[in-house]
Amino acid sequence: MSKTGKVRLSDVAKAAGVSSGTVSNTINRPDSVSDATRRKVLAAIRRLDFVPNEGAATLRSGTSKLLGLVIPDVTSSFYAEIAKGVARQAEEHGYAMLLFNTDDDPNREIRQLETLARHRSIGALIVPRMADEHRLARLRELGMHLVLIDRATSEHDGCSVSIDDVRGGLLAGQHLVSLGRRRLAFVDGPAGVPQAGRRLEGFRQALEDAGLTSADFAEIHAETASYAGGQQAARQVLSLAALPDGIFCINDQMAIGVLNGLAHAGVTVPARVAVVGYGDSAVAESAPVPLTTVHQPMIELGRAAVDLLLGEVAVTRGEHHHLSTVFNPTLVVRESAPYPA
Amino acid sequence: MSKTGKVRLSDVAKAAGVSSGTVSNTINRPDSVSDATRRKVLAAIRRLDFVPNEGAATLRSGTSKLLGLVIPDVTSSFYAEIAKGVARQAEEHGYAMLLFNTDDDPNREIRQLETLARHRSIGALIVPRMADEHRLARLRELGMHLVLIDRATSEHDGCSVSIDDVRGGLLAGQHLVSLGRRRLAFVDGPAGVPQAGRRLEGFRQALEDAGLTSADFAEIHAETASYAGGQQAARQVLSLAALPDGIFCINDQMAIGVLNGLAHAGVTVPARVAVVGYGDSAVAESAPVPLTTVHQPMIELGRAAVDLLLGEVAVTRGEHHHLSTVFNPTLVVRESAPYPA
DNA sequence: CTGTTAGCGCGTTCAT
DNA sequence: ATGAACGCGCTAACAG
């Protein structure tokens, strides 16, 4: 009925018997308006079905109520959870989230970041798999604020959020050791992923702390860090001179593949081999043997990323100190590597 | 370096020696500009690092290059895949996707839709779990175009995309019947979900077509349509007078729960009981017994939803005929209900 | 094919 | 605490 989209702020002002400046204040700085005025204005807004035009606000203020999340692929549960946290926190602060999947295509990533700039977004939360420092710097010049998610190195000049992978590996290692496991294996996809390297580092640390030597330790790399890769890794494990009694896998999918491979060979889990996964994805709980795994607080991480971004934006004067929020993973113990009875 | 954000379209015009209208044309309607002019303008754009201000364009044109996807929860792989398809297709048409999770909160859903309206989004793709027809109608009055996703009823007045659930159930039923299975069970969570009802309808149809009677059929409802619910359902299945030789589960999570429950009881799959899931989620492939399941083309569905939305927007004159795109699910045969040897 | 120009609707001074 | 007025940068309509 009400031809909204034709109702302007000035119409509201007229209807409420105030000036348009007052209506703007009522919307954006309610505290700077008297109680009675605010009531009148809000009533008029509702009565006329006024829908503010963000485009006009963006043009006028130079910045929009938009932020971007740029990730490789939202169908990965890891990123989907980040997206959920980001969307939630953005919403609570009056922002909306633009979501972009890069599909690991550097050109798309660039275009997406430029789209964000065109929309005068306050900034982006980005998993920089592709963009190099140079490009990120250019975007900063455009006035965009960037928060890096789960970045490999910490040599960047910006806020970032991440999870302590070394600690995650340490938790896994300590758990297996505490279970009395002494011949350990680490199962991964192709080497070279920084996160995996750090988890391995923590894992090794735990073994060292327990007095184990490299003779007690096998490092296995499958062709992919997937379920199929896990099955493949299991075959390699079974061909080792001595069967390990504990296996740490770089993610839950691989762990389930390992579980499957071991089962086919008649090797019981956890009796003969304990298995620990990583990520606590939805599948961990419903694995053939429910998976002990390292949980990562991704939703919280997403929320923290938004907070960092908004914090950076809020700093108008003086130097902004870039912050890095690092979350601790936790161990979720299930049957594949249970506490001793 | 280049103080971008300070470079305006008119600056580009000056630098290229053309008028601002021409710059606008080369950006928005390249075909309406001569080759030579276009080249000059694009060069100037690059040289000055011009970043168009979408806010201004939105204000001027009355509509933004934004569309919204409003779903219950992006961490569900079902919706994540839709999101991926939508983002991709939107991007290819020069649009960006705002993502909103309702978390099944009607108030949030309303606010999100209003946010979209404030941004003068062309429209929204929505899984209307909460919004009623009245609200949807109000949004349409605001000039927003709506495409409904996976909607229960088809009594609405708008474009929609969905998957033929009856056919999905039919596929599952026909497959089990073709395997020679004659005592069938249907496993679901609480009754009342329309999608589930339609899948059951198709399933029953297949049984009828094969000459089976209701005596050959058991309908089992667990407390939740989850992995745990599947385990629970398995117990009910095992307590039936006669063990079924084929089970159709409403989703893959339940199917895996059923698999687990049967395994615990020493019932072999598929030898004694064949199991068919629904959804072809990532877990189906890595289930203890790889799951035969009904695949739903969610990414394609997302893309189709965007096409419908853009099509609706493109119709300026004359009546727009609302379209419904219905996708056919397909059966993915794996070990839990394999083809006869 | 290109140039000219008038606002789009809001936020933000600066008075009062 | 409130009002008046300007202009943010762009598009569309029209003239040439």
Side-chain angles (χ1 to χ4, degrees):
Chain A
M1 220 84 300
S2 48
K3 284 282 187 290
T4 318
K6 297 256 49 191
V7 177
R8 291 153 302 180
L9 186 145
S10 63
D11 297 325
V12 173
K14 202 165 303 171
V18 299
S19 79
S20 52
T22 300
V23 176
S24 177
N25 281 334
T26 310
I27 293 172
N28 301 311
R29 294 187 300 274
D31 300 330
S32 76
V33 158
S34 78
D35 237 49
T37 306
R38 183 172 48 243
R39 243 187 290 282
K40 273 192 308 188
V41 171
L42 292 178
I45 286 176
R46 260 190 292 277
R47 185 150 36 84
L48 299 186
D49 235 354
F50 171 58
V51 179
N53 186 328
E54 289 288 346
T58 299
L59 172 57
R60 174 61 225 206
S61 70
T63 171
S64 68
K65 289 292 196 182
L66 258 20
L67 59 80
L69 176 64
V70 181
I71 54 179
D73 178 8
V74 72
T75 64
S76 151
S77 68
F78 182 83
Y79 296 119
E81 289 190 16
I82 295 178
K84 183 173 186 173
V86 169
R88 184 63 182 251
Q89 194 74 357
E91 195 171 314
E92 286 178 8
H93 289 273
Y95 286 80
M97 177 187 79
L98 284 164
L99 180 69
F100 298 94
N101 292 119
T102 66
D103 288 334
D104 282 331
D105 177 340
N107 293 323
R108 285 182 66 197
E109 179 168 322
I110 296 165
R111 260 182 265 125
Q112 293 163 346
L113 259 4
E114 288 179 350
T115 296
L116 250 5
R118 282 203 311 276
H119 282 282
R120 298 299 187 262
S121 147
I122 52 166
L125 317 176
I126 173 173
V127 180
R129 291 258 281 256
M130 297 296 150
D132 51 41
E133 280 301 339
H134 175 70
R135 272 200 246 296
L136 297 185
R138 178 173 171 282
L139 286 163
R140 290 215 179 78
E141 284 168 11
L142 298 187
M144 291 206 21
H145 297 266
L146 299 176
V147 172
L148 306 178
I149 296 176
D150 200 36
R151 188 183 177 75
T153 73
S154 57
E155 310 149 8
H156 61 85
D157 55 343
C159 289
S160 70
V161 294
S162 58
I163 301 227
D164 187 340
D165 286 306
V166 175
R167 184 164 173 74
L170 192 72
L171 287 174
Q174 287 175 338
H175 181 67
L176 286 170
V177 164
S178 78
L179 261 36
R181 310 290 168 153
R182 288 294 176 271
R183 293 188 310 283
L184 287 324
F186 172 72
V187 164
D188 191 5
V193 179
Q195 281 85 345
R198 278 178 263 130
R199 290 172 199 170
L200 174 56
E201 181 188 334
F203 188 66
R204 283 191 141 128
Q205 183 64 53
L207 306 200
E208 273 180 36
D209 292 350
L212 302 187
T213 69
S214 58
D216 307 312
F217 174 72
E219 189 177 330
I220 290 166
H221 291 275
E223 284 168 24
T224 65
S226 62
Y227 174 72
Q231 292 176 304
Q232 191 184 67
R235 271 177 253 124
Q236 295 183 48
V237 165
L238 293 164
S239 68
L240 291 172
L243 185 69
D245 55 9
I247 301 178
F248 173 42
C249 304
I250 202 63
N251 66 41
D252 292 338
Q253 286 69 40
M254 287 204 93
I256 293 176
V258 166
L259 244 30
N260 177 280
L262 294 178
H264 269 273
V267 174
T268 54
V269 172
R272 289 183 60 194
V273 182
V275 174
V276 176
Y278 208 104
D280 194 23
S281 54
V283 294
E285 192 179 359
S286 58
V289 182
L291 211 54
T292 290
T293 186
V294 177
H295 175 82
Q296 309 190 90
M298 302 317 297
I299 295 184
E300 279 310 315
L301 180 141
R303 300 181 80 120
V306 172
D307 288 341
L308 251 29
L309 179 61
L310 295 178
E312 186 167 327
V313 170
V315 176
T316 49
R317 44 175 289 114
E319 283 309 299
H320 167 70
H321 289 250
H322 287 310
L323 301 175
S324 290
T325 303
V326 179
F327 286 87
N328 279 330
T330 53
L331 190 74
V332 178
V333 178
R334 300 200 185 88
E335 289 178 37
S336 73
Y339 290 118
Chain B
M1 218 86 299
S2 49
K3 283 283 188 289
T4 319
K6 296 257 47 189
V7 177
R8 291 153 302 182
L9 185 144
S10 63
D11 297 326
V12 174
K14 202 165 304 172
V18 299
S19 77
S20 53
T22 299
V23 176
S24 177
N25 280 335
T26 77
I27 292 174
N28 300 311
R29 294 185 298 274
D31 300 329
S32 75
V33 158
S34 79
D35 238 49
T37 307
R38 183 172 47 243
R39 244 187 290 283
K40 274 193 306 187
V41 172
L42 292 179
I45 286 177
R46 259 190 293 277
R47 184 148 37 83
L48 300 186
D49 234 355
F50 172 56
V51 179
N53 186 329
E54 290 286 348
T58 299
L59 173 56
R60 177 60 228 214
S61 70
T63 171
S64 68
K65 290 290 196 183
L66 259 20
L67 60 79
L69 175 63
V70 181
I71 55 179
D73 179 6
V74 73
T75 64
S76 151
S77 67
F78 182 84
Y79 296 120
E81 289 190 17
I82 295 178
K84 184 173 185 170
V86 169
R88 184 63 182 252
Q89 194 74 356
E91 195 170 314
E92 286 178 9
H93 288 273
Y95 286 80
M97 177 187 78
L98 284 164
L99 180 69
F100 298 94
N101 293 118
T102 66
D103 288 334
D104 282 331
D105 177 341
N107 294 321
R108 284 183 66 196
E109 180 168 322
I110 296 165
R111 260 182 265 126
Q112 293 164 346
L113 260 3
E114 289 179 350
T115 296
L116 249 6
R118 282 203 311 275
H119 283 282
R120 297 301 186 261
S121 149
I122 52 165
L125 317 175
I126 173 172
V127 180
R129 290 260 280 257
M130 298 296 151
D132 51 40
E133 280 301 338
H134 175 69
R135 272 201 247 293
L136 298 185
R138 178 173 172 281
L139 286 163
R140 290 216 179 78
E141 285 167 12
L142 298 187
M144 290 206 20
H145 297 267
L146 299 177
V147 173
L148 306 178
I149 295 176
D150 200 37
R151 187 183 176 76
T153 74
S154 57
E155 311 149 7
H156 61 85
D157 55 344
C159 288
S160 69
V161 294
S162 57
I163 300 221
D164 187 340
D165 286 305
V166 175
R167 183 164 174 73
L170 192 71
L171 287 174
Q174 287 174 338
H175 182 66
L176 286 170
V177 165
S178 78
L179 262 34
R181 310 289 169 154
R182 289 294 177 271
R183 291 187 312 284
L184 288 324
F186 172 72
V187 164
D188 190 6
V193 179
Q195 280 84 344
R198 278 177 263 129
R199 290 172 199 169
L200 173 56
E201 181 188 333
F203 188 66
R204 284 190 139 129
Q205 183 65 53
L207 307 200
E208 273 179 36
D209 292 350
L212 301 188
T213 69
S214 58
D216 307 310
F217 173 73
E219 189 178 329
I220 290 166
H221 291 274
E223 284 168 23
T224 65
S226 62
Y227 173 72
Q231 292 176 304
Q232 190 184 66
R235 271 177 253 123
Q236 294 183 49
V237 165
L238 292 165
S239 69
L240 290 173
L243 185 68
D245 55 11
I247 302 178
F248 174 42
C249 304
I250 202 62
N251 65 42
D252 292 338
Q253 286 69 40
M254 288 204 92
I256 294 176
V258 166
L259 243 30
N260 177 281
L262 294 177
H264 269 273
V267 174
T268 54
V269 172
R272 290 184 58 195
V273 182
V275 174
V276 175
Y278 208 103
D280 194 23
S281 54
V283 294
E285 193 179 358
S286 58
V289 181
L291 212 53
T292 290
T293 185
V294 177
H295 175 81
Q296 309 189 90
M298 302 316 297
I299 295 184
E300 278 310 314
L301 179 142
R303 300 181 80 121
V306 172
D307 289 340
L308 251 29
L309 180 61
L310 295 179
E312 185 167 328
V313 169
V315 176
T316 49
R317 44 175 287 116
E319 283 309 300
H320 166 69
H321 288 250
H322 288 308
L323 300 174
S324 290
T325 303
V326 178
F327 286 87
N328 279 331
T330 54
L331 190 74
V332 178
V333 178
R334 300 200 185 88
E335 290 178 37
S336 72
Y339 290 119

